[in-house]
Amino acid sequence: MARRVRDVLLIGTALLWLIPTYLVVVNASTAADDYAGPSWWPGSWGFFDNLSTAFETADIGQAMSNSLLYSTGAALIAVGVAALASFAVVIMPVKRPAVWFWAIYTGTLLPLQVFLSPLFNGYADTSLYDTQYGMVLIYAAIAVPFAFFVIRNYMTTAPREMMEAAQLDGASWIAMFVRIHLPLARGALLAAFLFQFLATWNDLLFGITLSTSPNVRPLMAALAELNGQYAGLGPPVILAAGLVASAPTVALFLGFQRFFVNALKLTP
């Protein structure tokens, strides 16, 4: 009996969460010319026409390419830096490792809004504003603390005997990092990469603050412009673009959900 109640609750919760997705799909598939308001049932089919309008009007294709560049580049840089920092704090004999941990991890405790004004002024003064490398730089910087948190927690579980054996064999710190700890931590590295990829892909705050040009603007900023400046195109066009924008992150999560679960198990 208890199992049936649990199953019913789980199914009901899943259906409840799927209702908004269902409404988005139905209304995004309605032809913009026939749209008369939110609908619970599919009417005329116009999804691909809506999507074509969004791509032509707001240059969604270029924005998706920009977000792919930012998400991949920033996540790779952040994971690389975080892996080095984690190895130094956990494995190498540094003084006051707890101080170094909190000095890096504190970056996740501050709201991102506090960085906007100094970042905008600094980017404007250094010609980083509205540039692709400037966007990659800021996304990588804000991604390092959480990636460090995930990778560092995993490296604390590495057997000390393995490190001692490598040192007895004459292995250098670089050799230990590259040949031993990186292969062992590949699950945590991939999980950190996925987390930061999704966070960068879905970012709107820095996208609308530090970029304006279509060839630099990330995807969420382009969707915000589509919803603002081009709102007259109709909700079906905006919803169709939103569905396509969310499809890569949903596919990524479903394909690598095991690594997300494992990463959460490593966090205290």
Side-chain angles (χ1 to χ4, degrees):
M1 182 64 183
R3 183 174 181 179
R4 289 184 179 181
V5 173
R6 183 196 63 185
D7 292 342
V8 169
L9 289 175
L10 290 175
I11 293 173
T13 303
L15 291 175
L16 185 64
W17 278 100
L18 286 174
I19 289 175
T21 304
Y22 168 78
L23 289 174
V24 170
V25 172
V26 168
N27 289 275
S29 303
T30 303
D33 295 336
D34 299 332
Y35 184 79
S39 175
W40 283 87
W41 308 107
S44 58
W45 176 258
F47 177 80
F48 293 108
D49 291 335
N50 297 335
L51 194 59
S52 177
T53 301
F55 270 71
E56 294 174 0
T57 303
D59 205 2
I60 297 297
Q62 177 63 49
M64 291 187 72
S65 298
N66 294 337
S67 284
L68 180 61
L69 171 64
Y70 304 152
S71 300
T72 305
L76 286 174
I77 294 172
V79 169
V81 173
L84 289 169
S86 301
F87 181 79
V89 170
V90 177
I91 307 300
M92 297 180 69
V94 297
K95 295 182 179 180
R96 300 181 179 86
V99 174
W100 285 108
F101 167 76
W102 284 109
I104 299 173
Y105 183 64
T106 301
T108 64
L109 305 180
L110 299 175
L112 296 179
Q113 289 81 355
V114 303
F115 303 122
L116 291 182
S117 179
L119 268 175
F120 180 84
N121 294 329
Y123 266 46
D125 294 338
T126 56
S127 300
L128 289 173
Y129 180 76
D130 199 29
T131 61
Q132 289 185 331
Y133 54 85
M135 298 300 294
V136 172
L137 180 62
I138 183 57
Y139 283 134
I142 64 175
V144 166
F146 185 77
F148 167 76
F149 179 67
V150 173
I151 299 171
R152 176 258 181 192
N153 285 349
Y154 182 85
M155 285 194 176
T156 57
T157 65
R160 304 294 297 182
E161 295 81 4
M162 183 174 53
M163 181 190 70
E164 294 171 356
Q167 287 178 322
L168 289 175
D169 289 340
S172 64
W173 290 116
I174 296 177
M176 292 173 57
F177 175 70
V178 174
R179 297 179 183 177
I180 299 176
H181 288 87
L182 279 186
L184 288 176
R186 61 182 179 272
L189 295 173
L190 181 56
F193 175 86
L194 293 174
F195 272 115
Q196 302 313 323
F197 183 97
L198 296 181
T200 302
W201 183 275
N202 292 320
D203 173 73
L204 173 63
L205 185 63
F206 292 108
I208 61 177
T209 304
L210 302 177
S211 68
T212 56
S213 303
N215 63 328
V216 177
R217 181 182 55 196
L219 179 57
M220 294 304 151
L223 290 179
E225 183 179 5
L226 184 65
N227 189 36
Q229 185 175 350
Y230 302 106
L233 295 174
V237 174
I238 301 171
L239 292 175
L243 277 178
V244 172
S246 62
T249 59
V250 173
L252 199 64
F253 178 80
L254 293 178
F256 295 94
Q257 57 182 320
R258 176 170 62 92
F259 293 98
F260 284 96
V261 174
N262 291 338
L264 293 176
K265 289 180 180 179
L266 294 174
T267 57

